[in-house]
Amino acid sequence: MVDLQALLADLEAECTDLDALVAGLPSAEWARPTPAAGWTIAHQIGHLTWTDEVAALSATDAEAFGELVREALPRALTFVDEAAEQAAATPAPELLARWRRGRATLAPALRAVPPGTKLPWFGPPMSPASMVSARLMETWAHGQDVADALGANRTPTVRLRNIAHLGVRTRNFAYQVHGRTPPAEEFRVELRGPGGELWTWGPEEAAQRVEGPALDFCLLVTQRRHPGDLAVTAHGPDAVEWLGIAQAFAGPAGTGRTAGQFAH
């Protein structure tokens, strides 16, 4: 059984860490470009704000959320960027306060969802736990963009396991979004957590294997680093193929990052 309360605590901690990066920034610094093309720090926080708000709407008013989806359909490839652009135009103190309000609203909304309920979303419906996992992954990934923009180093935490788990679970989605047929057999994934602990997925005897530091794997599946710049290794042709297309986030195929972009 997935522990929703533990996931929500991890999400709160991830938000708190990112909040600490931006809370003291002068307003002008919110316009600093991030590695995501065309997105400033304000766009990154604006995107998280909007997504938290619509996730809470999904949990509390399915009819209103359905109307939002119908309105967005004609702009399926642009509405996410449009929402980020609109939020980024908000004065930094107002945007920060709005993000904090949205986070404070989302947690109790998800706790109140009856057990077994699936929440409507822009893709397949999700359980509250899956919704929190997705929000945690996005907060960490967009937080990485903010940290990169500021030249800040973040300390890896055991919360990475949630993101790594989502990266493993979305293997088939990554193939499908690239128009490819997912392999029939399971892969073995072995990752070293921040404290040296071993995290594993898949059968031990699997022929296709992926291994490396959990941080590097999370950077890979969120496409925050080029695979060639990470210490994640694959054994077997299918596993090698997966590392080139891995994608833990929803939407069309991501474009990733340029090789050597973050070399020091």
Side-chain angles (χ1 to χ4, degrees), residues 4-5 61 65 72 78 137 162 220 222-223 264:
L4 178 61
Q5 300 305 323
D61 192 337
F65 179 81
T78 62
M137 178 274 297
N162 298 307
L220 187 148
T222 58
Q223 297 189 8
H264 295 288

Side-chain angles (χ1 to χ4, degrees), residues 7 30 43 61 84 89 104 107 113 118 135 161 170 172 194 196 220 235 247 252 260:
L7 280 172
W30 285 64
H43 285 83
D61 192 337
V113 174
K118 292 285 188 177
R135 301 307 314 125
R161 183 162 189 167
T170 52
N172 288 357
L220 187 148
H235 305 277
Q247 175 173 327

Side-chain angles (χ1 to χ4, degrees), residues 16-241:
T16 298
D17 281 359
L18 177 53
D19 197 309
L21 277 180
V22 300
L25 288 179
S27 292
E29 285 294 287
W30 285 64
R32 184 189 287 254
T34 69
W39 277 32
T40 65
I41 290 174
H43 285 83
Q44 301 285 353
I45 300 301
H47 171 70
L48 293 175
T49 299
W50 176 82
T51 314
D52 286 347
E53 290 171 350
V54 296
L57 183 66
S58 170
T60 58
D61 192 337
E63 184 176 343
F65 179 81
E67 182 58 32
L68 185 153
V69 172
R70 286 188 289 274
E71 291 175 359
L73 276 178
R75 312 183 329 275
L77 298 179
T78 62
F79 75 93
V80 172
D81 285 346
E82 290 168 4
E85 186 71 34
Q86 184 178 21
T90 306
E94 294 180 22
L95 178 55
L96 180 59
R98 178 183 162 192
W99 178 42
R100 289 169 173 170
R101 287 195 303 272
R103 287 151 44 191
T105 299
L106 178 59
L110 291 173
R111 287 191 185 97
V113 174
T117 301
K118 292 285 188 177
L119 303 175
W121 198 238
F122 299 98
M126 292 193 289
S127 68
S130 294
M131 183 75 80
V132 179
S133 294
R135 301 307 314 125
L136 177 57
M137 178 274 297
E138 281 230 317
T139 302
W140 182 85
H142 289 282
Q144 185 64 49
D145 289 338
V146 173
D148 288 335
L150 296 171
N153 291 317
R154 301 194 297 173
T155 301
T157 74
V158 294
R159 297 191 297 272
L160 290 175
R161 183 162 189 167
N162 298 307
I163 298 153
H165 181 71
L166 191 59
V168 173
R169 290 286 303 273
T170 52
R171 186 202 71 170
N172 288 357
F173 166 75
Y175 276 87
Q176 292 160 359
V177 81
H178 282 85
R180 306 182 194 183
T181 301
E185 69 275 18
E186 290 187 67
F187 292 177
R188 175 71 169 182
V189 178
E190 297 185 352
L191 305 175
R192 285 289 172 186
E197 61 275 30
L198 181 64
W199 299 338
T200 65
W201 293 263
E204 192 171 358
E205 69 279 4
Q208 307 295 318
R209 308 176 68 85
V210 170
E211 57 190 26
L215 173 61
D216 285 23
F217 181 78
C218 292
L219 289 168
L220 187 148
V221 298
T222 58
Q223 297 189 8
R224 263 49 191 184
R225 294 291 187 272
H226 188 276
D229 294 335
L230 299 168
V232 181
T233 58
H235 305 277
D238 291 339
V240 170
E241 180 184 28

Side-chain angles (χ1 to χ4, degrees), residues 233-260:
T233 58
H235 305 277
D238 291 339
V240 170
E241 180 184 28
W242 178 42
L243 293 193
I245 61 173
Q247 175 173 327
F249 52 88
T255 56
R257 298 285 189 261
T258 305

